[in-house]
Amino acid sequence: MLSGQSGQTGLLGDGDGRARAEAPIPERQPDRAAVWSWPELSVLLVEDDQGDALLVEELIADGAPGLPMRWVRSAAEARTLLAQQLPDCVLLDLHLPDAQGLEALAAVREYTDQVAVIVLTGLDQEQIGLAAVAAGAQDYLVKGRVEPELFSRALRYAIQRKQAERASAALRTSQMRARENARLERGLLPTPLLRGERSVDIVARYRPGRANTLLGGDFYDVVQQADGTVHALIGDVAGHGPDEAATGVALRLAWRTLVLSDIFGIRQLRLLEEVLLAERTGKQTFATLTSLVLRPCDHRVAVTRAGHPGMLLRTGSHIDWVEVPGGPALGFLPGRAEWSVHEITLPVDSGLMLFTDGLFEGHTDASQDRLGEEGLLELARTVTAAEPAVFVDELIWRAEELAEAHGGLEDDVAVMYLQWNHRDLNQDNR
């Protein structure tokens, strides 16, 4: 039989390995094995000795009835089975035809570290068992010195410890992602840089997509110059992940630097494309964006668009889709793209809503149809809230609700709503 020697598994023994009598043990509560559903778990035994394998089968029959077990005789066979399906626990002999000692443990852990491992040692190899635990095994058992109940307990403890390790690792990964998200968010979604009295009211929102682990490449920014002119940007780097997010941060920072250097319009787009080409990790990466210059003196807005969706123009309860002529996304035609600047009028009682395509690319209800630009316009016209912040939140919520049957919006969503500041309007009306 086998006997556990770490923690709570094992029996005391004398020099020749025979069990030594102990003081009477108080009556115990029922073993927790009764609440375990062994058939829902599985074990892989890696053991080249047929006699030891039969002993393990007997221990399972007595201590973990119904527990499925597969038996292989070598590390190579174990790797083949692990490639097909992962068990909950591996019972591993440290003396195999193709792997000896900790080499056998390394062979299994190199292939997968997702399952619990209990190593099997001889009576004179307890130090190797301890070394195996230090190297990543959950427990070790000494051949010839374990009872079925203790074998069952060792299995449960090993599986539970591995589950705890995985949960702890997942928590650490989640915390690291959260910290990384926070750093990326500061770069992608900054605080507006406003100098002088605010001439434009701004509502900005960001919603991660359902598969989000890190922020995607959606970004926006607002800079107001001392004369009240407001520059606004919204953009989206194709793809999702840390590389795209880093590229988005680089574009956003470059845009703000260009604005502060009084570089606007077509020249600004050409320089931003140079930044994209230098920062992107693959030749297929591109970015869409819309850049605005809002002049409070005449309520005109200069729009430069590079492959980005149109905008919603909201005047009172009336909403229109505005899509000025533009050019290709940055990176589509490096050095050969042509863009243009177009002006529109933003009345004093109107607001412009800019957004990334994640807002309208979600599937609707149980169908495979996407909301689309026309669907977004129709949806926006059903939102009656007068307050810009309430209007934006309601529209995002309704788009999410339509996509709920498919798990929510697939892509990240960035939204920016701009309207003239009411204090400036009052001054204009005097």
Side-chain angles (χ1 to χ4, degrees):
M1 291 185 295
L2 309 170
S3 174
Q5 291 294 313
S6 67
Q8 303 179 48
T9 62
L11 293 174
L12 296 177
D14 54 24
D16 62 3
R18 292 175 296 181
R20 186 173 69 235
E22 294 293 322
I25 300 176
E27 184 177 351
R28 299 175 51 208
Q29 296 298 320
D31 197 313
R32 288 184 61 192
V35 302
W36 276 61
S37 180
W38 291 112
E40 296 180 0
L41 305 174
S42 62
V43 164
L44 172 63
L45 174 63
V46 188
E47 170 64 71
D48 64 327
D49 187 280
Q50 185 174 4
D52 286 338
L54 290 174
L55 287 176
V56 171
E57 288 184 349
E58 292 178 4
L59 288 171
I60 289 177
D62 294 337
L67 175 64
M69 186 193 81
R70 300 191 70 175
W71 171 35
V72 297
R73 297 173 181 266
S74 67
E77 289 183 67
R79 287 193 291 266
T80 299
L81 279 182
L82 291 171
Q84 300 171 1
Q85 185 176 7
L86 293 180
D88 295 284
C89 184
V90 174
L91 297 173
L92 177 66
D93 180 25
L94 291 183
H95 293 281
L96 300 170
D98 54 351
Q100 295 290 311
L102 296 182
E103 178 189 355
L105 176 62
V108 171
R109 285 180 54 80
E110 181 181 5
Y111 202 84
T112 177
D113 61 353
Q114 300 299 305
V115 300
V117 178
I118 299 177
V119 300
L120 309 177
T121 69
L123 290 173
D124 58 345
Q125 298 170 334
E126 293 189 36
Q127 291 303 316
I128 296 180
L130 289 171
V133 172
Q138 275 60 56
D139 206 344
Y140 76 95
L141 299 173
V142 179
K143 295 181 179 181
R145 298 178 62 188
V146 70
E147 299 294 335
E149 181 181 343
L150 297 180
F151 175 79
S152 170
R153 185 183 303 174
L155 274 179
R156 296 200 311 272
Y157 287 171
I159 294 172
Q160 288 173 332
R161 278 195 291 271
K162 190 60 184 181
Q163 290 173 343
E165 286 179 13
R166 294 172 61 181
S168 178
L171 177 60
R172 288 194 299 270
T173 300
S174 176
Q175 291 171 337
M176 291 176 62
R177 286 174 176 169
R179 289 193 292 269
E180 185 65 20
N181 272 355
R183 287 192 291 269
L184 290 172
E185 185 174 349
R186 289 193 296 271
L188 292 166
L189 317 171
T191 301
L193 177 58
L194 305 176
R195 294 180 289 180
E197 290 192 15
R198 177 178 295 191
S199 57
V200 172
D201 289 327
I202 306 159
V203 175
R205 297 287 187 267
Y206 172 80
R207 293 288 188 277
R210 68 183 184 191
N212 183 55
T213 55
L214 286 172
L215 291 178
D218 294 23
F219 57 92
Y220 58 71
D221 201 358
V222 177
V223 173
Q224 177 175 295
Q225 296 179 304
D227 65 357
T229 300
V230 174
H231 299 262
L233 170 76
I234 193 165
D236 183 6
V237 179
H240 195 93
D243 291 337
E244 290 76 10
T247 302
V249 171
L251 289 173
R252 204 279 304 167
L253 289 172
W255 178 85
R256 179 175 282 199
T257 301
L258 292 171
V259 168
L260 295 175
S261 303
D262 293 327
I263 298 176
F264 321 126
I266 306 305
R267 186 185 177 199
Q268 181 188 88
L269 286 188
R270 297 198 186 285
L271 291 173
L272 288 176
E273 185 172 60
E274 289 186 23
V275 172
L276 172 70
L277 298 178
E279 294 292 334
R280 68 183 183 180
T281 56
K283 292 185 178 181
Q284 304 304 316
T285 301
F286 64 91
T288 68
L289 63 83
T290 294
S291 183
L292 306 180
V293 181
L294 298 93
R295 300 192 300 265
C297 58
D298 58 4
H299 302 129
R300 299 287 291 173
V301 180
V303 183
T304 311
R305 192 168 68 92
H308 204 73
M311 305 170 286
L312 293 178
L313 174 61
R314 181 170 174 255
T315 303
S317 60
H318 186 72
I319 300 176
D320 288 314
W321 185 272
V322 176
E323 188 168 315
V324 303
L330 303 184
F332 257 11
L333 301 170
R336 296 179 287 120
E338 296 292 336
W339 297 285
S340 57
V341 179
H342 291 264
E343 288 196 349
I344 62 173
T345 298
L346 181 62
V348 295
D349 58 346
S350 299
L352 272 179
M353 179 173 163
L354 295 81
F355 39 83
T356 54
D357 57 12
L359 186 60
F360 58 80
E361 286 196 339
H363 294 283
T364 58
D365 299 325
S367 71
Q368 294 299 316
D369 296 331
R370 297 185 183 275
L371 179 61
E373 296 176 349
E374 293 183 3
L376 179 63
L377 176 60
E378 294 177 7
L379 188 64
R381 286 172 173 170
T382 67
V383 180
T384 59
E387 189 67 25
V390 179
F391 171 81
V392 170
D393 290 337
E394 179 74 11
L395 181 55
I396 295 174
W397 178 81
R398 292 193 184 187
E400 290 175 329
E401 187 178 40
L402 285 175
E404 186 175 353
H406 293 271
L409 297 175
E410 298 178 0
D411 200 1
D412 294 356
V413 175
V415 175
M416 190 164 50
Y417 188 101
L418 307 167
Q419 70 174 22
W420 303 116
N421 185 282
H422 290 295
R423 288 175 299 178
D424 290 341
L425 299 183
N426 294 334
Q427 291 174 1
D428 293 340
N429 292 333
R430 285 201 296 268

